[in-house]
Amino acid sequence: MESLNAILLTRLTRFHLTELAELYRRAGSATAVIEHKRDIREILPDASRYLMQALKDIDNFRDRAEQELEYDQKHNIQLLCMNDERYPQRLRECPDAPILLYYLGNADLNCRHIINIIGTRHCTIYGQDIIHSFARELKTLCPDVLIFSGLAYGVDIHAHRAALQNGLETIGVLAHGLDDIYPRGHRDTASQMTKQGGLLTEYTTHTQPVARNFVQRNRIVAGCSDATILVESASKGGGLITCSIARSYGREVFAFPGSVHSDYSEGCNNLIRDNGASLITSATDFVKAMGWDDDIRLDQAQQRGIERNLFPDLSSEEESIVRVLSKNNDLQINLLSVQANIPISQLTGILFTLEMKGVIKAMAGGCYHLLA
């Protein structure tokens, strides 16, 4: 029932995405939203008039929603509602997160390290070499990383293929439904990805890959990731839009520099010049910048049988934070506040103390990582 009701809600598309996401968060489920469809301002007092009217008429979409659910069940497509533990936790933190995702694959969308690799659809030999050497080096340095991109021509498809070739899982975020693959020339790669990663979309079947969908799907690429990596870009393009979205979410952005005479390095060079991205030249640069090399050394130490002593002299509040992070590491402060039941105003000082004790580490994107 929850999946069907979530599909119904996603058929309401003529208002701002953040409004529907906020309504869902306050109600706690799509089912609760629909149960209150005639008195929705009891949940969201400033709900728009259009949203109120659309909810009253929502049963007009029920037949289509039932058809969608039947198709998804028949084709083993997972429906991930925002309140589902399998839903990408990093994306859930974003104000305009979709309330429902359609997923075909086997990768953990909440794994420890997630990045996206993006850029121009006119990827040069220089860009291709960067992608393949980056993926090869990253596999050695950080073998559990999950790589997102958009399955488009150019940088996207080279990123997916480099991940597959190096044994890394990779997710393609689509601008259409899972009943088709666009571009069609990427179908074989997409099929491989469902066995070594997956395909993800917010769109129902029969949705066409129109231009606005590509811009909208960029927020999912950015929101699911710890960091965005721009390989090549002209002075304008979708990759730069994704970088801007990532920064608005408080995520890290990196770019590879290129020749000042190359049209497809102009966007990267400008972004670095204007402090919109950090410069990297290798996976080693990236892993160090993210602080993931500390994780690697800790993992290696634990594999050798070297373990930290139990954390000494922790207060009850500090122990509560450690318990939360031990179950679900790398949380942002707002999620820590909710799960540990500690106000943010108080939590900031406790986190600083835990850092001083060497128990946790502040990560890129405002996340906190338990060190053992």
Side-chain angles (χ1 to χ4, degrees), residues 250-272:
R251 311 298 166 82
E252 297 297 309
V253 177
F254 299 87
F256 282 91
S259 168
V260 295
H261 303 295
S262 171
D263 290 340
Y264 294 112
S265 288
E266 185 177 357
C268 293
N269 293 340
N270 291 347
L271 202 62
I272 294 167

Side-chain angles (χ1 to χ4, degrees), residues 14 172 216 333 346 349:
R14 289 177 55 196
Q216 189 165 302
I333 190 169
Q346 180 183 350

Side-chain angles (χ1 to χ4, degrees), residues 90 107-114 144-146 169 226 330:
R90 295 164 176 84
D108 178 4
L109 301 176
N110 290 300
C111 66
R112 188 172 178 183
H113 299 131
I114 302 179
D144 62 345
V145 70
L146 176 61
E169 292 183 322
D226 299 306
D330 300 343

